[in-house]
């Protein structure tokens, strides 16, 4: 399961400590001499009112016509410093106070903070006064979107980019261009965005900005003179970032006197406000009280509140062409807010915006209440959580072994793991999740086709013969030091990969492109890759088409009885190996029982691997001396409690963990 | 949850609440289906057994010459210097102030014991356990017995047991003790191999074992038991068989066979892991248990409880009180009593125990329950204790007390284990009900089960060997 953990950073707390030390000495309202924040303008203060104890009056957005607006995302490989750079930019513009709040301010979820990664894109509006030599200062409204770096969440990146005209492409000065740098560059490039290359972490002793510049040139044809050098940690070079944003990125192209058109690019559920929709105004303008319609659902609502993220929800009463903000409409559930939908003024006719291509779920897994009686609680929790994570697909299913539950589709294993963690942390539900699977297609001799998201749903002994099967593939990008190429090529061919490209980025680094079955990379590929390259390889993938494959269903039988929640689908050539490994794993997970337990792996009615767990021999506490039975009783109570952590299938007790832990079988 | 405390309960003595709140609360959970009459019919009900006055007392005499490597009992080691090799009768225990002071404290505890029962029947069993009670001078044992007798009364035919270690008593001492009323001896032999005794840190060798057996026999003690421990480090099956054989040859009327428990904080606990060399594997250890069961039964002993064997008429009456979930007093360091529905363990450290006795005297401490119990606790206690015995769980009585539904559920859970033979099902004539018939019965209504299934018990040895596993299944029925 390493791929889930690979993305967790444990240094968060020390990182925090370092930052508070660094910034506590700075007086809260002493402005950084490097920047002059035009807040007085935005808030409509008179320029000589320095101190003002009143509530700041509502922000007047009318001062920001399109040409005074810039919308940009920060994109990068995981950990290259996007969220930290966002912190600095928000501080520099006075959007957040220096030394207040936590580092990576926009990483608000508990999972994000614990793992030190961004999972959900976050938007912040900033006001900035641009001073150009010999010109009058002029106020700008800047929308920054911090995006996740991990491949599972690249969908978040695409969505964010659709609300922007430009992107800061951040690259770590020591690590250079990595797989997600490439992937995210192309996302921005294909969306026709202006790219502002930023080399970050130049404070590091191993920083080699010249080499990174050369990589940017050779791989993306980016002009080396245009590359900004910064340290988001020390603030070095930071003053050039926003001027470059303003100079290079074009203002939003919308037409202010056209009918209103807005892109709905995200939504979440807020306890006080209800459903909050994040929107980007493409054309026209919007005011509080307006009636708007949603193209996809054909529903109309009144706009009850409208504003910007500054960085918290801040009412403005309006949004103008090119601006990015939120609306609240008394919508009941986020299901009514289809991401990518076009919002327009009711009773007008507009051409809908292109929207987004639908999310593709890469892995599916069953989610069941750990205690069978808690199905209702789980249903409730999943309903709530999917309100804030629309990228999970959910369908009810039933398992003979685990009872009632859900089949959930995820963007990847990290996404799945984050979902489980959020269920547990935010809703207090304990779940058993089954072995993740990718979606397959089977064709039978009668011509019928079956889509399979749950291996148990594939008949073990079908009425008609399977004539063909297909599995999803991905195009994978791997960037690695050249000395490891041999080992990585071996790994890829073991995983049934097909090489598409093999190029040198520079003298030391190689760029590989492979088409691989999704199944082969979903579980432990990245771990393996890291271990054979001493951690120097980076990896990214995008989904590709299905390919024909020779797939079989592998059943696991306990004492002769198939356990639906343990079934998997594997490539025929690997069935024996996987069967053997699964049986071995289960043998380690299942404790001795009062009976002998026979574990078998079978394809149809053919047993391909087997082992037995011998019966428990002795479990007796002979000593019960002097009538003191309390200790013994506690032990028995504990033993009884232990049984609750088990699912009984037939007469065999299987620990909850077994259902998920055995997934680490290639 | 067990209502057990390891420190005294500070509450006023007389003002104990009379309302049986807990009882009714528990009834509603457990006994939906039983008629109200069954609840009120208190005299013979399992759920009210604990309310009567105890007729048994455990007395803890904690002194030992040294601590054995496996032992985690509350004991006080006297050290071996004074005892050296002097003959028993010349040793110093007579004047050891530690013993005298302790016994005085014990006597104070007994005297400070106020009970709340209308009648105070005479004691029928007294058990001197330890420690090594045989180290205590008879004079002091006499004091304890006198105190018990004057405080509670003592039946003339009461069973009075005493644990004795080889090498700590001679004929004269034993005669003296018998004169005081001690009529049952429990001899801590543990093993018949010097190397094993040494490895256990025992203060005696095999020759002292033989001497002790001779003394017990010569003094004419008919009712005597021998303790053995199986699964000791380096113990082989051959050694174990030898110990069993020699035990049988010495003809005790009772044998206790304990499977070694590796306790945290003991020397063994620090260096050994159960199932790993030099301790026998789980499989070997199970083999030892089975060997004991078959050899001892072959020699005419009845295996009447997980670790107890007796010749006919020689079951330990005191221990039977425990297995029947009946109340009993306890006195002395770390001892556990069960009075008025409350299980209470005294402090294990002398200092705290001393304070406890003082609290008892000035009325600040009380270990007598007020008769209120959590019925689930009673039910699980009864299940756990009954299944330790060969008699097993009497279902009719249990059903009357806790509801027939519960009985049916227990039968259901045990169905696969009746089939596998781990559990034996018996009718009212104690004739075995076979598995397929049992299956049919369990499918039927509760009344039918009651009519045909009277007892469930663990099969000897396969069921006994897995008693924890099986008992915890029934626990799951009582409190899921
Ligand atoms: N030395 C140094 N460290 C930096 C700099 N910028 C960021 N970091 C550190 O790099 C690590 C990753 O920073 P983040 O801002 O969380 O990176 P990210 O790109 O947002 O990561 P994801 O959202 O998970 O993709 C943190 O430990 C930062 O403190 C920098 O300029 N110099
Ligand atoms: C309180 S001890 C008896 C002490 C007494 N001094 C003696 O050694 O015989 C009662 C019995 O419990 C058994 N016993 C004590 N500790 C044990 C342990 N850790 N595992 C198994 N049996 C134990 C021994 O057989 C012992 O005889
Ligand atoms: Mg981040």
């Amino acid at each position: 399961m390493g791929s889930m953990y690979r993305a967790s950073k444990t240094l968060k707390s020390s990182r925090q400590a370092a930052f508070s030390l660094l910034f506590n000495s700075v007086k809260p309202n002493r402005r950084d001499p490097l920047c002059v924040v035009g807040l007085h303008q935005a808030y409509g203060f008179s320029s000589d009112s320095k101190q003002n104890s009143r509530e700041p009056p509502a922000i007047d957005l009318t001062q920001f016509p399109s040409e005074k607006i810039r919308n940009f995302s920060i994109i990068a490989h995981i950990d290259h410093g996007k969220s930290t750079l966002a912190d600095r930019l928000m501080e520099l513009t006075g959007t957040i106070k220096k030394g207040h709040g936590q580092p990576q301010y926009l990483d608000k979820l508990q999972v994000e903070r614990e793992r030190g990664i961004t999972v959900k894109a976050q938007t912040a509006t900033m006001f900035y006064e641009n001073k150009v030599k010999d010109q009058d200062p002029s106020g700008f409204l800047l929308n920054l979107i911090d995006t996740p770096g991990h491949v599972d969440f690249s969908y978040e990146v695409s969505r964010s980019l659709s609300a922007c005209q430009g992107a800061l492409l951040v690259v770590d000065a020591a690590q250079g261009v990595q797989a997600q740098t490439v992937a995210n560059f192309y996302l921005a490039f294909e969306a026709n965005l202006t790219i502002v290359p930023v080399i970050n972490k130049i404070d590091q002793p191993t920083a080699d900005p010249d080499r990174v510049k050369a990589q940017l040139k050779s791989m993306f044809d980016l002009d080396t003179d245009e590359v900004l050098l910064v340290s988001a940690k020390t603030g070095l070079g930071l003053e050039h970032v926003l001027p470059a944003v303003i100079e290079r990125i074009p203002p939003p192209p919308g037409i202010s006197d056209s009918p209103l058109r807005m892109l709905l690019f995200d939504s979440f559920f807020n306890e006080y406000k209800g459903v909050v929709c994040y929107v980007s105004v493409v054309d026209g303008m919007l005011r509080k009280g307006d009636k708007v319609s949603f193209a996809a659902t054909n529903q109309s609502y009144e706009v009850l509140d409208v504003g910007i993220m500054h960085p918290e929800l801040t009412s403005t009463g309006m949004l103008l062409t090119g601006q990015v903000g939120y609306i609240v409409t008394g919508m009941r559930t986020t299901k009514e807010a289809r991401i990518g939908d076009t919002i327009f003024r009711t009773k007008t006719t507009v051409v809908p915006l292109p929207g987004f291509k639908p999310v593709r779920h890469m892995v599916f897994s069953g989610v069941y209440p750990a205690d069978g009686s808690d199905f209702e609680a789980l249903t409730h929790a999943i309903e709530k959580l999917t309100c804030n994570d629309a990228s999970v697909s959910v369908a009810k299913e039933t398992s003979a072994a685990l009872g009632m539950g859900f089949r959930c589709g995820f963007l990847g294993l990290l996404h799945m793991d984050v979902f489980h963690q959020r269920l547990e942390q935010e809703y207090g539900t304990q779940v058993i999740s089954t072995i993740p699977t990718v979606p397959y297609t089977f064709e039978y001799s009668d011509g019928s086709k079956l889509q399979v998201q749950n291996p148990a749903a594939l008949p073990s002994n079908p009425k008609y013969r399977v004539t063909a099967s297909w599995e999803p593939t991905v195009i994978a990008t791997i960037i690695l030091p050249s000395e490891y190429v041999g080992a990585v090529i071996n790994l890829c061919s073991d995983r049934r990969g097909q090489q598409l490209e093999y190029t040198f980025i520079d003298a030391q680094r190689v760029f590989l492109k492979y088409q691989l079955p999704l199944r082969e990379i979903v579980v432990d590929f990245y771990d393996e890759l890291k271990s054979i390259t001493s951690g120097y390889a980076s990896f990214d993938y995008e989904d590709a088409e299905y390919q024909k494959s020779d797939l079989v269903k592998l059943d696991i039988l306990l004492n002769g009885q198939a356990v639906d929640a343990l079934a998997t689908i594997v490539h025929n050539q690997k069935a024996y190996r996987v069967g053997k490994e699964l049986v071995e794993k289960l043998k380690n997970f299942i404790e001795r029982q009062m009976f002998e337990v026979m574990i078998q792996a079978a394809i149809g009615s053919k047993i391909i691997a087997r082992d037995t767990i011998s019966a428990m021999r002795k479990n007796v506490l002979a000593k019960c001396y002097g009538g003191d039975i309390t200790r013994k009783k506690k032990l028995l109570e504990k033993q009884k409690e232990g049984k609750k952590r088990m699912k009984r299938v037939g007469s065999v007790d299987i620990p909850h963990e077994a259902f998920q832990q055995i997934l680490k079988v290639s | 949850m067990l209502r057990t405390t390891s420190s005294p309960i500070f509450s006023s003595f007389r003002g104990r609440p009379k309302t049986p709140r807990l009882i009714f609360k528990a009834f509603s959970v457990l006994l939906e289906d039983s008629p109200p009459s069954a609840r009120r019919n208190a005299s013979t009900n399992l759920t009210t057994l604990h309310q009567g006055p105890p007729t048994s007392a455990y007395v803890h005499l904690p002194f030992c010459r040294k601590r054995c490597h496996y032992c985690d009992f509350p004991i006080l080691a006297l050290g071996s210097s004074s005892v050296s090799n002097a003959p028993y009768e010349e040793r110093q225990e007579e004047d050891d102030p530690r013993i005298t002071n302790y016994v005085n404290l014990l006597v104070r505890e007994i005297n400070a014991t106020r009970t709340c029962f209308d009648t105070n029947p005479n004691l029928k069993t007294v058990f001197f356990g330890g420690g090594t009670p045989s180290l205590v001078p008879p004079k002091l044992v006499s004091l304890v017995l006198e105190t018990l007798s004057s405080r509670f009364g003592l039946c003339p035919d009461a069973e009075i047991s005493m644990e004795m270690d080889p090498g700590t008593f001679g004929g004269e001492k034993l005669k003296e003790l018998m004169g005081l009323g001690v009529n049952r001896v429990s001899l801590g032999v543990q093993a018949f191999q010097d190397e094993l005794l040494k490895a256990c840190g025992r203060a005696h060798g095999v020759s002292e074992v033989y001497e002790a057996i001779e003394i017990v026999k010569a003094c004419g003690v008919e009712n005597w038991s021998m303790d053995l421990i199986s699964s000791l480090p380096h113990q082989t099956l051959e050694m174990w068989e030898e110990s069993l054989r020699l035990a049988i040859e010495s003809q005790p009327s009772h044998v206790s066979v304990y499977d070694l428990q590796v306790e945290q904080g003991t020397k063994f606990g620090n260096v050994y892991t159960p199932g790993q060399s030099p301790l026998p594997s789980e499989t070997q250890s199970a083999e030892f248990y089975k060997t004991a069961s078959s050899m001892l039964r072959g020699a005419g002993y009845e295996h009447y409880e997980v670790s107890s064997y007796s010749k006919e008429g020689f079951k330990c009456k005191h221990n039977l009180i425990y297995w029947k979930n009946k109340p009993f007093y306890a006195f002395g360091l770390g001892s556990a009593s069960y009075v008025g529905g409350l299980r209470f363990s005294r402090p294990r450290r002398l200092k705290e125990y001393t304070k406890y006795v003082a609290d008892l005297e000035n009325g600040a401490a009380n270990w007598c329950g007020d008769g209120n119990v959590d019925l689930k606790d009673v039910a699980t206690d009864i299940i756990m204790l009954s299944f330790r015995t060969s008699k097993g769980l009497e279902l009719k009585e249990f059903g009357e007390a806790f509801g027939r539904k519960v009985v049916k559920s227990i039968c259901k859970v045990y169905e696969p284990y009746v089939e596998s033979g781990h559990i034996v099902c018996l009718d009212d004539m104690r004739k075995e009900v076979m598995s397929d018939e049992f299956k049919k019965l369990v499918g039927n209504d509760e009344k039918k089960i009651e009519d045909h299934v009277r007892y469930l018990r663990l099969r000897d040895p396969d069921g006994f060997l897995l008693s924890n596993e099986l008992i915890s299944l029934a626990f799951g029925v009582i409190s899921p």
Side-chain angles (χ1 to χ4, degrees), chain A residues 623 625, chain B residues 64 68 70-73 130-133 163-165 187-190 202 227-229 258-263:
Chain A
K623 205 171 67 168
Y625 179 81
Chain B
C64 283
C68 301
Y70 51 74
C71 174
D72 75 335
F73 285 104
T132 310
E163 286 188 336
M164 308 188 74
D165 274 24
L187 193 63
V189 170
Q190 323 306 359
R202 297 287 292 172
D227 283 359
L228 295 176
I229 302 185
Y258 298 112
D259 181 56
L260 178 73
Q261 302 291 306
V262 179
E263 305 286 358

Side-chain angles (χ1 to χ4, degrees), chain B residues 127 159-162 182-186 221 223 225 254 316:
Chain B
F127 195 104
E159 175 193 273
I160 302 179
S161 311
M162 181 178 277
V182 174
N183 50 22
R184 186 174 180 276
V185 168
S186 167
V221 183
N223 189 355
S225 176
H254 187 283
C316 176

Side-chain angles (χ1 to χ4, degrees), chain A residues 592 594-595 617-623 625-627 629-633 636 639-640 643 648, chain B residues 4 72-73 129-130 163 259 261 263 282 285 322 343 377 380-381 388 417 420 465 467-469 479:
Chain A
R592 283 183 164 199
M594 283 203 281
F595 313 98
R617 305 273 179 224
K618 189 190 82 170
N619 191 347
V620 54
L621 266 186
K623 205 171 67 168
Y625 179 81
I629 63 168
T630 54
R631 250 178 73 196
K632 176 162 174 86
K633 194 164 173 195
L636 290 169
Q639 199 157 337
K640 179 201 86 187
K643 292 207 186 300
R648 174 154 283 214
Chain B
T4 313
D72 75 335
F73 285 104
E163 286 188 336
D259 181 56
Q261 302 291 306
E263 305 286 358
E282 197 186 293
S285 170
Y322 302 151
R343 293 194 185 274
D377 273 349
T380 43
D381 282 2
R388 287 188 68 92
Y417 308 101
S420 64
L465 265 171
S467 59
N468 283 2
E469 197 65 22
S479 47

Side-chain angles (χ1 to χ4, degrees), chain A residues 69-133:
Chain A
I69 298 174
R70 299 292 182 273
N71 297 323
F72 66 100
S73 292
I74 307 182
I75 57 174
H77 187 74
I78 191 160
D79 262 3
H80 281 196
K82 296 175 289 293
S83 303
T84 309
L85 180 61
D87 281 356
R88 291 297 90 75
L89 295 177
M90 287 192 292
E91 283 168 9
L92 189 137
T93 54
T95 312
I96 58 171
K97 279 186 182 158
K98 264 190 188 173
H100 288 247
Q102 294 152 308
Q104 287 89 34
Y105 184 90
L106 295 176
D107 289 348
K108 290 173 190 172
L109 298 174
Q110 192 182 343
V111 261
E112 295 182 315
R113 307 218 66 91
E114 279 176 16
R115 292 167 183 252
I117 56 165
T118 304
V119 162
K120 199 160 167 63
Q122 287 290 350
T123 305
T125 298
M126 312 183 291
F127 298 100
Y128 178 72
E129 190 142 316
N130 195 29
K131 274 173 104 178
V132 184
K133 228 181 173 177

